[in-house]
Amino acid sequence: MRDLNQFQRYLVHEFVDDYHDGVMSRRDMMARVLKITGSAAAAATTLTALGVKAADAMAPERLLRQGQPEPQSPLAVPENDPSIAASSIEFQGEGAMIQAYEARPASGNASPVAGTPEPAATPAASGGLPLVLVCHENRGLQEHIRDVARRLATQGYVAVAVDLLSREGGTAANQPDDIPAILSEADPARHVGDFQAALAHYANDPSVDSARTGMIGFCFGGGITWRTATQTPELNAAVPFYGPPPPLEDVPNIRAAVLGIYASDPGDFANEGRDELEAALAEAGITFRINVYPGTEHAFHNDTGQRYNEEQALAAWRDTVAWLAEYV
């Protein structure tokens, strides 16, 4: 474990917890840990240190806790919702074109012509819309994250979910077992840079008020949200959901008002170092609040996952929307 970086350690812990909790199969857990550690010997040593016994490799697979293929939240917004305009976009990043998914309030449908399909909603023509960056989980840019962007659009934001696998062809071009290793092996500065490139892109969009910007991220994306906040003074607000903390020496660089969303499960590795992070935020005079939601496990907001907690996910979303409204 000493040879792994912070995000690699974080994801290995997460996958082992998922396995122990019946959220991830043994095969998937072992495959993803192997991709991160780089060798069977290193994977075996790491898994043993985290309580996965060698005998588990020969044991029958357990019945997994099942997630839902479709969103369960009453807040879910379909892509064809007439109140929003959503599309895939690209913009220039450091040495590469960055793929992303954008959702924004619609200006309304044009009058349909008889005999033709009703036209799609078009983006609002007048300017001044605030911007929220969205960072995905360790699985890449999935439909749940696109739904989060659409939910933000219904709140009056231009929301852009960046695909941090753009240099590898995008999330859809990669195997699921490979994605966590790709994301965690890359320098976090690369991911931060892609979000800074998104800010630069929207600085040229007359319909966006680039002086009003926020960021939200989940799990791995929560960690990248923390990192981006330490390196991007343009951010007015940040809402990391259960992510690993940034380097404490960088905390005084934060200019955003930060709302941290965390599960109450003491076994959630995302809570590792949270007390030290809170102390650093307070010492630096950062505007922040850390919310812990009772009876929750890691990833409780994801309404397609096995740990979804509707009551607390709705509470966390209300808190998120209120925080963004106050500070963005």
Side-chain angles (χ1 to χ4, degrees):
M1 293 288 285
R2 289 194 303 269
D3 294 331
L4 302 180
N5 66 40
Q6 181 195 29
F7 283 96
Q8 290 172 326
R9 290 194 302 272
Y10 176 83
L11 292 184
V12 167
H13 274 275
E14 180 180 334
F15 297 148
V16 171
D17 287 345
D18 286 350
Y19 166 67
H20 284 311
D21 291 348
V23 172
M24 182 177 287
S25 71
R26 182 184 62 249
R27 190 215 72 82
D28 287 345
M29 181 270 295
M30 295 183 72
R32 294 182 188 196
V33 171
L34 176 60
K35 295 284 187 179
I36 289 173
T37 59
S39 74
T45 300
T46 299
L47 291 173
T48 299
L50 295 179
V52 180
K53 301 176 182 178
D56 289 351
M58 302 303 294
E61 285 281 18
R62 297 170 295 179
L63 184 64
L64 294 178
R65 294 164 60 180
Q66 296 299 310
Q68 299 293 330
E70 299 297 329
Q72 303 302 298
S73 174
L75 301 175
V77 178
E79 191 160 24
N80 63 354
D81 189 302
S83 71
I84 59 122
S87 62
S88 296
I89 66 168
E90 286 190 337
F91 53 84
Q92 184 63 50
E94 181 65 34
M97 293 301 294
I98 305 302
Q99 303 172 28
Y101 179 81
E102 180 196 89
R104 62 170 71 203
S107 61
N109 290 338
S111 300
V113 177
T116 63
E118 186 173 342
T122 55
S126 59
L129 294 174
L131 174 70
V132 177
L133 310 174
V134 183
C135 190
H136 55 65
E137 302 161 310
N138 68 69
R139 294 178 296 170
L141 183 51
Q142 302 286 339
E143 179 56 25
H144 169 64
I145 299 300
R146 296 185 182 93
D147 184 24
V148 169
R150 295 193 292 268
R151 296 180 199 185
L152 288 165
T154 66
Q155 297 296 317
Y157 299 98
V158 174
V160 59
V162 174
D163 191 337
L164 296 177
L165 291 152
S166 295
R167 290 172 179 78
E168 289 75 35
T171 295
N174 290 274
Q175 295 299 315
D177 284 346
D178 295 336
I179 289 174
I182 295 170
L183 291 171
S184 59
E185 186 176 77
D187 187 337
R190 178 186 113 168
H191 303 320
V192 171
D194 287 351
F195 282 102
Q196 292 172 336
L199 290 178
H201 168 73
Y202 283 101
N204 298 316
D205 186 334
S207 71
V208 173
D209 183 352
S210 58
R212 301 171 62 200
T213 61
M215 184 169 179
I216 179 174
F218 303 86
C219 183
F220 162 84
I224 297 302
T225 300
W226 277 115
R227 294 281 185 126
T228 304
T230 68
Q231 300 175 45
T232 312
E234 297 92 336
L235 283 182
N236 303 113
V239 186
F241 277 65
Y242 31 76
L248 296 184
E249 62 270 22
D250 293 340
V251 166
N253 298 331
I254 296 175
R255 297 294 175 266
V258 185
L259 172 65
I261 306 288
Y262 288 89
S264 62
D265 180 7
D268 182 0
F269 193 65
N271 290 317
E272 185 79 11
R274 198 183 75 207
D275 290 344
E276 293 81 357
L277 175 58
E278 287 193 59
L281 289 163
E283 183 178 356
I286 308 302
T287 298
F288 79 98
R289 191 168 77 226
I290 301 295
N291 285 0
V292 179
Y293 295 83
T296 55
E297 301 175 276
H298 184 77
F300 70 88
H301 179 267
N302 187 333
D303 61 329
T304 65
Q306 298 93 324
R307 294 188 173 113
Y308 175 56
N309 181 318
E310 181 168 298
E311 179 183 1
Q312 298 304 328
L314 293 176
W317 187 254
R318 286 194 298 270
D319 294 340
T320 297
V321 170
W323 193 265
L324 293 174
E326 181 173 0
Y327 292 105
V328 173

